[in-house]
Amino acid sequence: MVEQDLPYRPRRRTALRVLVPVGVIAVAATGIGLVPALASDSAPSLPSVTAEQLVAKALGSDTQALSGTVQVSADLGVPAQLLGAAGGAFGSGAHGGGAGGSGRGSADPTAKLTQLLGGEHTLQVAIDGPDRQRIGLIGGLSGYELVHNGQQVWAWDSSTNQALHLTAPQGAAQHGERAKAPLTGAPTTPQAAAKLFLGQSAATTSVTVDGTATVAGQKAYQLSVKPKQSGSTIGEVRVSVDADNGVPLAVLVKSADGGKVLDVHFSSVSFAKPDAKTFDFKAPKGAKVTERRADDAAAQKQHEGAAPHAKPDGFNVVGEGWTAVLSGKLPGGQVSPAAEGKHGRSPVPQDAAGFAKALGKPVNGGSLISTKVLNVLITDDGRVFAGAVTPQVLQTAAGVK
Amino acid sequence: MSQAEALEAGTTPTARTAGAAAAPRAQTAAGFAALFRSELVLTFRRTRTIALLGILAVLPVLIGVVVKIQTDGASGGQGPAFIAQVTQNGLFLVFTSLAVALPVFLPMTVGVVAGDSIAGEAATGTLRYLLVAPAGRTRLLAAKFTAGLVFCLAATLSVVAAAVATGAALFPLGEVTLLSGDTIGLGAALLRAVLVAGVVAASLAGLVAIGLFISTLTGSGIAAMATTVVLVITVQILDSFPQLHAIQPFLFTHRWLSFGDLLRMPMHWDNVLQNLGLQSLYVAVFGSAAWARFSSRDITA
């Protein structure tokens, strides 16, 4: 090259050349820093609406078909192992205690979707009306598909090649409700997450329109939902509602201290009707298929009684709105769901109490399992109080000081 | 070593056709091609390279035989990725083998080749002869880097070829079930396997640049190889700590296994493209660092 012809000045040349990689690093760092900042900075200008109009638009959105990619990022402060164990316990009797994430034996939707409550996940979603949905959970080198098409629900796990097939004997409408039950256990779409928060009553909740944003290339209004009551661990919920069709595109839940707890948003979305083939799922070759009637599935769920939003017998709700507290007796089968004879109010089993004690820290009147949002108080006499509220509210509900 | 002779044999005719004064600049393309060819011959004629490729080819055979023997065992989702599908379709042995080889075996062989590329020449005393030829240090570096990339591709393809052969011999072939549960024909699946091989080879590009840079720092080939391999392992350990969540997206090994996203029905490109972007960033940073170091370094050996 040309430098061989120049007078040889090694030190100056070295100094000049070192500048090149340093410059490349600087350019790369600025690029990485600037691109997201520029992208999120563009707030589109939209005609102003009232909060009531926007909530009505979001809840009454008649958009039936959409497909896209959803990013779910949850930081509830619950250890991933615990979620994995819980997912295993909810599933068909798989032994808990493995690493959460990959490699669980069952194709049970509840077990899989519980994993969404910890860490970051990517979902491919396709929806065509109330009867046809498909959710694909993108794992590292595996996939998990949940397909609902009319009378049928398929769940398939690629890492084990096991499938679960639910069929409805009765009408599709009745079945549809049941089939969606596992889907709502964890918020798989911004719609599901938005419905959780926008349905709150006006007495306990303040809803305001707070600017606009661009989500997945769509112009959207931002709704800010805040609890009026004190004592909730949730500080604010921000819902981005599509300006054109009212579809919630993103939901961001912040805890009372301002930390991000749950972030569900579309990274890409299309409102075109998905190809009908998308919902036409058959068990892959060689898959081990478990056939179940929808009735049996519902009944079994009742027995296990451990799904996050299912209320097992003997549990009731104290308070209302954001400070509602779920209370009840400690179920005997918390650790081993195989034991089904928990209707008898036996004294607190040693293992369950020990399990709770080991996880929680001792407070007045019992032990407290505390996460960013959800707090659980297990009193010394075996009662359980849980809610997205501060420990003080739980202690008041339990009547201990 | 014969690389200096091979190089001169390659470059001399072109150098002669160009003018004497402008020779190093005028014959860039042809000169680079000759230099690249000589590098390629040097790399692939070595017994060491052939042995490395051989070891990589044995890996799928080993996995295939083990799966075949244990064919009854429903592993319950344990073990390497795609293992549940291998017994259904031999083509999945390709993806299992790549998933097993990518964290350790492939980077180790790449580290050996890239780490030795400059330092090895310096150690054996052939580097100065290479620089005597009218090639220029920048072009020599570029040729070494390109040869390293070709080795990545060769290493990946040797895994894929051995896996396809083993899979076809031991297991049935046929329609392939993707990770999204959709089924595609064997031809389309083979195309995807080739695409995956290309992506895997490209994910090693960052490592080639790092190895090349380390290689310019030292005069000992063994030291450069060892440092590169140790670096790969260290980075993967760092990648496993949840506490280092903030820096992990910038580690060059972080998205290596994203090739699995190409095995879904709408191919999910996000992670793959991020991986390739990150690799090109590493190539730019460490490539320019290698250039800065090598082009101003005193060659004493």
Side-chain angles (χ1 to χ4, degrees):
Chain A
M1 296 302 268
V2 72
E3 59 264 22
Q4 266 96 350
D5 304 331
L6 294 175
Y8 189 63
R9 266 175 279 166
R11 203 160 290 157
R12 191 170 149 233
R13 250 170 44 165
T14 309
L16 274 177
R17 291 188 172 193
V18 168
L19 285 181
V20 175
V22 171
V24 170
I25 293 172
V27 168
T30 1
I32 290 167
L34 273 185
V35 169
L38 287 177
S40 65
D41 227 24
S42 57
S45 63
L46 293 166
S48 64
V49 291
T50 67
E52 287 75 26
Q53 286 172 330
L54 201 52
V55 171
K57 188 172 189 174
L59 291 180
S61 169
D62 59 354
T63 301
Q64 295 283 315
L66 63 83
S67 58
T69 309
V70 178
Q71 307 280 351
V72 182
S73 155
D75 182 11
L76 303 180
V78 183
Q81 285 82 354
L82 195 61
L83 282 177
F90 296 158
S92 49
H95 55 88
S102 62
R104 195 157 292 284
S106 128
D108 194 293
T110 324
K112 273 287 170 185
L113 295 179
T114 308
Q115 289 172 11
L116 291 178
L117 296 177
E120 292 175 17
H121 297 273
T122 305
L123 301 164
Q124 280 181 330
V125 178
I127 297 171
D128 183 10
D131 286 339
R132 297 200 287 178
Q133 293 106 20
R134 178 169 185 156
I135 292 168
L137 179 57
I138 294 182
L141 286 174
S142 59
Y144 179 77
E145 293 290 313
L146 197 54
V147 185
H148 170 211
N149 189 0
Q151 311 268 78
Q152 317 215 357
V153 176
W154 280 100
W156 181 69
D157 188 348
S158 85
S159 62
T160 53
N161 204 5
Q162 289 188 2
L164 182 69
H165 186 204
L166 299 179
T167 39
Q170 310 107 335
Q174 196 184 354
H175 168 68
E177 200 148 309
R178 287 217 177 106
K180 267 195 269 179
L183 302 192
T184 51
T188 48
T189 60
Q191 282 98 313
K195 285 213 172 85
L196 278 178
F197 299 108
L198 292 181
Q200 301 276 358
S201 82
T204 56
T205 310
S206 87
V207 182
T208 51
V209 180
D210 186 13
T212 59
T214 306
V215 180
Q218 307 284 320
K219 289 177 182 172
Y221 292 103
Q222 297 249 57
L223 267 179
S224 166
V225 181
K226 285 181 185 161
K228 278 182 184 165
Q229 303 151 294
S230 65
S232 171
T233 48
I234 294 177
E236 186 192 3
V237 179
R238 298 183 71 86
V239 182
S240 301
V241 180
D242 191 297
D244 292 330
N245 50 29
V247 172
L249 295 174
V251 172
L252 175 67
V253 181
K254 288 180 179 171
S255 65
D257 56 14
K260 201 164 83 172
V261 174
L262 175 70
D263 182 2
V264 188
H265 67 268
F266 279 106
S267 60
S268 71
V269 68
S270 151
F271 296 109
K273 195 178 162 80
D275 192 345
K277 272 212 311 251
T278 311
F279 307 102
D280 188 15
F281 193 88
K282 282 192 285 293
K285 197 179 63 178
K288 202 190 292 170
V289 180
T290 311
E291 292 283 349
R292 241 192 248 169
R293 314 271 285 190
D295 295 359
D296 304 347
Q300 190 181 349
K301 202 129 279 155
Q302 203 75 26
H303 270 291
E304 287 175 0
H309 290 268
K311 265 195 299 172
D313 303 337
F315 275 73
N316 50 42
V317 178
V318 184
E320 56 149 4
W322 297 81
T323 53
V325 172
L326 188 70
S327 72
K329 291 265 183 191
L330 194 62
Q334 182 166 349
V335 182
S336 56
E340 289 187 354
K342 61 179 173 237
H343 287 280
R345 295 272 183 268
S346 57
V348 185
Q350 281 302 309
D351 57 344
F355 185 64
K357 283 247 159 55
L359 281 172
K361 61 170 196 266
V363 291
N364 276 345
S367 54
L368 177 77
I369 301 172
S370 179
T371 68
K372 270 190 168 177
V373 172
L374 193 69
N375 285 313
V376 180
L377 177 72
I378 297 152
T379 61
D380 293 330
D381 53 354
R383 289 175 300 152
V384 185
F385 295 86
V389 293
T390 55
Q392 288 75 26
V393 177
L394 287 181
Q395 284 174 319
T396 313
V400 295
K401 204 56 234 111
Chain B
M1 288 284 144
S2 63
Q3 59 267 46
E5 299 152 35
L7 171 72
E8 268 162 325
T11 42
T12 315
T14 38
R16 210 169 280 151
T17 52
R25 288 175 74 79
Q27 38 96 27
T28 303
F32 179 78
L35 194 60
F36 172 58
R37 214 178 311 129
S38 86
E39 275 306 324
L40 219 53
V41 169
L42 169 68
T43 308
F44 285 96
R45 219 196 262 153
R46 282 198 155 171
T47 323
R48 186 181 67 191
T49 312
I50 294 165
L52 288 175
L53 292 177
I55 291 168
L56 286 174
V58 168
L59 187 73
V61 179
L62 197 66
I63 297 173
V65 169
V66 168
V67 173
K68 183 75 179 171
I69 293 170
Q70 292 285 326
T71 194
D72 55 325
S75 57
Q78 306 295 318
F82 310 118
I83 207 89
Q85 283 96 326
V86 170
T87 48
Q88 305 300 326
N89 194 316
L91 198 59
F92 267 98
L93 194 58
V94 173
F95 309 119
T96 307
S97 307
L98 283 177
V100 170
L102 195 44
V104 184
F105 293 98
L106 279 172
M108 210 151 79
T109 56
V110 170
V112 167
V113 169
D116 196 45
S117 56
I118 305 277
E121 301 263 13
T124 49
T126 46
L127 187 56
R128 71 170 101 181
Y129 297 109
L130 272 175
L131 296 174
V132 164
R137 296 186 181 192
T138 311
R139 225 184 305 157
L140 178 64
L141 204 61
K144 293 270 186 197
F145 177 70
T146 319
L149 287 186
V150 171
F151 175 78
C152 291
L153 197 61
T156 313
L157 287 179
S158 84
V159 174
V160 170
V164 169
T166 313
L170 296 181
F171 304 104
L173 291 177
E175 293 199 319
V176 173
T177 306
L178 297 174
L179 290 183
S180 55
D182 303 277
T183 303
I184 59 172
L186 187 61
L190 273 171
L191 275 181
R192 289 206 187 205
V194 171
L195 183 66
V196 163
V199 167
V200 168
S203 356
L204 295 166
L207 182 62
V208 175
I210 292 171
L212 205 58
F213 172 60
I214 293 173
S215 191
T216 60
L217 294 178
T218 171
S220 156
I222 299 288
M225 286 186 237
T227 312
T228 311
V229 172
V230 165
L231 190 76
V232 173
I233 294 167
T234 313
V235 166
Q236 295 198 54
I237 291 171
L238 291 181
D239 203 14
S240 66
F241 283 111
Q243 286 84 353
L244 298 175
H245 186 78
I247 60 156
Q248 280 169 359
F250 303 105
L251 300 179
F252 64 95
T253 59
H254 186 62
R255 293 187 199 281
W256 269 2
L257 292 179
S258 63
F259 71 83
D261 286 352
L262 299 176
L263 301 175
R264 301 175 200 279
M265 195 39 164
M267 283 193 210
H268 186 68
W269 282 95
D270 293 9
N271 293 328
V272 178
L273 292 180
Q274 275 172 16
N275 179 26
L276 296 183
L278 190 67
Q279 298 303 329
S280 55
L281 204 65
Y282 269 87
V283 169
V285 170
F286 284 95
S288 60
W291 172 80
R293 164 74 185 156
F294 185 58
S295 58
S296 58
R297 163 181 161 181
D298 288 338
I299 306 300
T300 52

